[in-house]
């Protein structure tokens, strides 16, 4: 029923119905006048037809033809529908706030820019209840969200009273998707001031940061907030970089050579993701060519943030401004393209005109063994004009485009925080080791949000339990297998603490000890102190504790000893 969900289409439908009503009404009154042998003007017939909308019929009751019969019953319905549609426009904000007040365990999307609109669309398509907040009532995203039947509250998302109007007190998640990193941080601060409804788990705050390296550094804080909202940082650029490499770059290919033109946020993310993937294969250094106006300086900046990068890549930096190139820099770049053709050339300039001209320049200098990908913001603009018009020829490198937002924005983008990754891994490990049936042994994707809370609580407790053995999680500064290995005594201590945490959680939910497990009666034979747990049942917790360093490494963390 998309016809009824879109305000624009509803207006067109009403216009069509009014047109049909006028045709029927005027035609009916003309026929009635002819039947009665009288004469009426067109304006009189128009006036009589419009009166039908107010349940007022001025014609002869004995000479009603089928047109008038239809018109006089349909006219009030069309008039009432038009009145309701007009009211929905005039009182849109009030309607949105009324609908938001009824929402529960929903997702609040703050900011309806290009990314916010895509996130709201993906969430709605995924079956989640969505409420949006946008500070600019003239933003095109407001109309798009309204067409998707998403309530939009106009206001400042950094104001806790606006968040309360969107029922943040009982929402499941807030997504800070503003264009500004500073505004997104302020939204998180405002969320801390919202008092949660009793009985609900902590609010999850997914915070978008345009700077992928800043997002990487801040992810180390995600597990350190025991009180207040659970923070989860994500970067569209970093996710898009991983997607691009999955689609266009194979580190297993013989002598892979990656060339990146433009070391903006996306270009740097691609270099780091490729280097990390290649380092995990333990196949030596990845051949990388970096082309940028200040390529050397930006590479050293990446090395400062990621010390492991220096050993992971065999890099050549070409300080070339492709907007205003010098002859020497162009010659150096052309020699690389001729003598050492890259297997993949990524043109990552944010200026799409420069990206296209640079991509075509490279295409004329490499063979079909190379692939060229041009980074674009979306499918529109210059890309929409040029994409598909560049002819493909045998022996010439294929050229494709990569729209960042379309490729990166998905449910996994906002559900891929450190806590969520660890919780999912813990849940999957539990299924593999226990093999028991029941609702909580479904795959992660099939669990509802409430059933995922037990695994999230276990992820929350990791920082506290690691501290008991003198360890803490820290951002991963090197790539490869984790170095920290726990002793048997430390594994037993961590396993015991997690068991006692789980036992307390179960008891708070009304579970009791019973010799035989009975989910309906909330009885479990494992609700005993750690020392009394049978040896065969202790294995699960012991194996989980031993694998913590590897699990954290997959989420981008090291376990370091204090």
């Amino acid at each position: 029923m998309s016809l009824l969900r879109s305000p624009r289409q509803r207006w067109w439908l009403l216009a069509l119905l009014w047109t049909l009503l006028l045709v029927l009404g005027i035609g009916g009154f003309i026929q009635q006048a002819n039947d009665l042998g009288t004469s009426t003007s067109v304006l009189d017939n128009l006036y009589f037809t419009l009166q039908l909308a107010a349940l007022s019929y001025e014609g002869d009751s004995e000479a009603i033809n089928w047109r008038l019969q239809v018109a006089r019953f349909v006219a009030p319905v069309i008039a009432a529908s038009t009145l309701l549609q007009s009211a929905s426009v005039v009182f849109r904000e009030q309607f949105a706030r009324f609908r938001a007040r009824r929402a529960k365990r929903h997702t609040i999307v703050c900011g309806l820019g290009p990314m916010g609109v895509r996130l709201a669309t993906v969430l709605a398509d995924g079956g989640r209840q969505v409420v949006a907040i946008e500070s600019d009532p003239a933003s095109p995203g407001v109309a798009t969200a309204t067409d998707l039947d998403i309530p939009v509250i106009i206001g400042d998302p950094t104001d806790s009273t606006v968040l309360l109007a969107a029922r943040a007190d009982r929402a499941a998640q807030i997504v800070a998707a503003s264009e500004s990193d500073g505004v997104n941080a302020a939204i998180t601060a405002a969320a801390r001031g919202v008092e949660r409804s009793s009985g609900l788990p902590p609010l999850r705050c997914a915070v978008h940061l345009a700077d992928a390296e800043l997002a990487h550094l801040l992810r180390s804080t995600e597990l350190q907030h025991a009180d207040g909202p659970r923070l989860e940082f994500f970067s569209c650029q970093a996710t898009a970089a991983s997607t691009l490499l999955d689609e266009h770059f194979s580190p297993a290919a013989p002598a892979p050579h990656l060339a990146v033109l433009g070391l903006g946020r996306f270009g740097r993310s691609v270099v780091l993701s490729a280097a990390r993937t290649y380092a995990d294969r333990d196949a030596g250094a990845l051949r990388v060519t970096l082309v940028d106006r200040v390529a050397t300086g930006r590479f050293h900046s990446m090395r400062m943030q990621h010390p492991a990068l220096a050993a992971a890549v065999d890099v050549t930096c070409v300080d070339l401004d492709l907007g205003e190139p010098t002859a020497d820099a162009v010659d150096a770049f052309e020699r690389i393209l001729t003598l050492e053709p890259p297997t993949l050339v990524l043109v990552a300039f944010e200026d799409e005109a420069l990206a296209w001209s640079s991509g075509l320049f490279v295409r004329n200098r490499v063979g079909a063994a190379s692939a060229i990908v041009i980074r674009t913001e979306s499918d529109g603009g210059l890309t929409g004009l040029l994409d598909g018009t560049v002819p493909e020829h045998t022996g010439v490198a294929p050229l494709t485009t990569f729209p960042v937002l379309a490729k990166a924005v998905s449910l996994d983008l906002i559900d891929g925080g450190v806590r969520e990754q660890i919780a999912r891994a813990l849940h999957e490990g539990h299924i593999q080791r226990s093999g028991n049936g029941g609702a909580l042994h479904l795959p992660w994707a099939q669990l509802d949000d409430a059933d995922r809370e037990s695994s999230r609580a276990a992820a929350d407790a990791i920082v506290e339990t690691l501290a008991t053995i003198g360890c803490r999680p820290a951002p991963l500064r090197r790539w490869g297998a984790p170095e920290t290995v726990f002793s048997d005594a430390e594994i037993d201590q961590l396993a015991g603490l997690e068991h006692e945490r789980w036992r307390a959680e179960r008891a708070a939910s009304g579970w009791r000890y019973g010799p035989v497990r009975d989910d309906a009666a909330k009885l479990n034979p494992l609700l005993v102190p750690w020392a009394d747990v049978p040896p065969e049942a202790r294995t699960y917790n012991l194996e989980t504790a031993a694998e913590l360093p590897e699990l954290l490494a997959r989420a981008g963390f090291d376990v370091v000893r204090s």
Side-chain angles (χ1 to χ4, degrees):
M1 297 294 290
S2 60
L3 180 65
L4 299 179
R5 291 179 59 183
S6 169
R8 180 176 299 178
Q9 290 178 330
R10 286 198 292 268
W11 280 119
W12 279 109
L13 176 62
L14 287 171
L16 176 62
L17 291 175
W18 275 107
T19 301
L20 291 175
L21 174 65
L22 291 175
V23 170
L24 289 173
I26 294 174
F29 280 113
I30 291 175
Q31 181 180 342
Q32 184 185 64
N34 292 335
D35 293 343
L36 295 174
T38 60
S39 176
T40 56
S41 67
V42 174
L43 290 179
D44 287 339
N45 293 329
L46 175 62
Y47 177 75
F48 294 153
T49 301
L50 294 177
Q51 278 191 316
L52 296 176
L55 297 175
S56 177
Y57 172 67
E58 297 292 339
D60 192 308
S61 60
E62 296 182 356
I64 300 178
N65 53 70
W66 70 270
R67 293 183 181 86
L68 288 181
Q69 286 284 24
V70 174
R72 68 175 183 164
F73 284 103
V74 170
V77 176
I78 298 176
S81 300
T82 304
L83 181 62
L84 289 174
Q85 177 67 6
S86 301
S88 71
V89 174
V90 175
F91 301 105
R92 178 182 298 168
E93 171 67 8
Q94 287 73 16
F95 287 161
R97 288 177 179 261
F98 173 75
R99 291 178 60 196
R101 282 198 293 270
R102 299 166 54 198
K104 188 173 183 180
R105 293 188 178 276
H106 55 292
T107 299
I108 302 173
V109 177
C110 299
L112 289 176
M115 187 179 66
V117 168
R118 285 185 179 269
L119 281 170
T121 302
V122 167
L123 287 163
D125 291 344
R128 300 193 190 182
Q129 186 180 14
V130 181
V131 173
I133 300 176
E134 171 56 46
S135 58
D136 181 8
S139 169
V142 174
T144 304
T146 302
D147 286 347
L148 294 170
D149 200 32
I150 295 174
V152 180
I153 294 178
I154 304 300
D156 183 0
T158 65
D159 185 344
S160 58
T161 58
V162 175
L163 292 178
L164 275 175
R167 295 315 304 259
D169 58 321
R170 61 186 191 187
Q173 186 178 35
I174 289 179
V175 181
S178 163
E179 302 290 314
S180 165
D181 288 356
V183 171
N184 289 337
I187 292 171
T188 304
R192 291 182 178 278
V194 175
E195 185 175 349
R196 296 285 284 170
S197 298
S198 60
L200 291 179
L203 179 66
R204 291 182 290 127
C205 287
V207 185
H208 177 258
L209 296 175
D211 190 331
E213 294 172 24
L214 177 61
H216 173 76
L217 292 174
L218 288 179
R219 293 185 77 187
S220 63
T221 68
E222 290 187 24
L223 296 175
Q224 298 174 10
H225 294 273
D227 301 321
R230 292 168 170 164
L231 297 182
E232 298 165 349
F233 297 97
F234 68 95
S235 169
C236 180
Q237 306 290 343
T239 303
S242 297
T243 303
L244 180 140
L245 293 169
D246 288 342
E247 293 182 359
H248 298 285
F249 187 69
S250 174
H257 178 189
L258 172 66
V260 177
L261 281 63
L263 292 177
R265 290 168 175 167
F266 183 62
R268 294 198 299 270
S269 295
V270 169
V271 172
L272 291 169
S273 184
R276 184 180 292 111
T277 302
Y278 201 73
D280 289 342
R281 296 182 65 250
D282 196 22
L286 173 65
R287 180 81 175 91
V288 176
T289 297
L290 305 178
V291 182
D292 191 88
R293 183 172 56 85
V294 284
T296 304
R298 290 187 171 175
F299 173 70
H300 288 303
S301 174
M302 285 191 287
R303 282 185 55 192
M304 290 174 59
Q305 298 289 345
H306 306 272
L309 180 63
V313 296
D314 174 14
V315 66
T316 299
C317 295
V318 181
D319 294 326
L320 169 63
D321 185 348
L322 284 164
E324 299 178 0
T326 63
D328 291 343
V330 170
D331 290 342
F333 184 37
E334 287 186 323
R335 281 195 298 272
I336 293 174
L337 295 177
T338 303
L339 300 177
E340 305 174 77
T343 51
L344 173 65
V345 179
L346 168 65
V347 186
F349 296 116
E350 294 184 3
D351 183 335
E352 290 193 11
L354 177 60
W356 274 97
S357 63
S358 302
L360 295 173
F361 167 83
V362 172
R363 193 175 189 236
N364 292 330
R365 287 159 177 80
V366 296
S370 300
I372 302 172
V373 177
I374 296 178
R375 174 252 188 222
T376 65
E377 194 69 23
S378 66
D379 297 324
L382 182 62
T383 296
L385 177 66
L386 295 179
D387 199 12
T389 64
V390 179
E392 298 290 341
H393 300 293
T394 303
V396 177
L399 187 150
T400 58
T401 58
F402 185 85
V404 171
L405 286 180
K407 293 289 187 178
V409 174
S410 66
L411 291 179
D412 287 340
L413 179 64
I414 58 174
D415 289 344
V418 172
R419 180 182 288 100
E420 206 74 0
Q421 289 182 46
I422 294 173
R424 181 181 303 190
L426 291 172
H427 176 75
E428 291 172 352
H430 175 58
I431 293 176
Q432 292 173 3
R433 295 189 181 99
S434 63
N436 295 327
L440 294 182
H441 288 76
L442 294 172
W444 182 262
Q446 297 179 24
L447 294 177
D448 62 32
D449 202 63
D451 288 337
R452 295 176 179 178
E453 277 304 311
S454 178
S455 297
R456 289 174 182 151
D460 286 339
I462 283 179
V463 174
E464 183 178 346
T465 55
L466 285 176
T468 63
I469 61 170
C471 293
R472 61 181 176 83
L476 194 65
R477 308 298 289 177
R478 45 154 193 81
W479 299 325
E483 295 177 347
T484 301
V485 178
F486 298 142
S487 67
D488 290 343
E490 289 173 332
I491 291 173
D492 187 78
Q493 183 173 338
L494 292 173
L497 289 170
E498 170 55 23
H499 174 79
E500 295 301 331
R501 184 208 63 79
W502 170 81
R503 189 160 71 104
E505 176 194 278
R506 296 285 88 186
S509 300
W511 285 72
R512 296 173 293 111
Y513 169 80
V516 178
R517 177 166 177 162
D518 185 339
D519 289 354
K522 291 189 173 182
L523 300 176
N524 194 315
L526 298 181
L527 288 173
V528 295
W530 174 245
D532 298 331
V533 174
E536 63 275 9
R538 298 166 66 96
T539 303
Y540 165 70
N541 278 41
L542 292 170
E543 290 179 350
T544 301
E547 292 176 1
L548 270 180
E550 183 179 347
L551 187 150
L552 287 168
R554 290 198 298 269
F557 287 88
D558 248 335
V559 174
V560 298
R561 297 191 182 276
S562 301

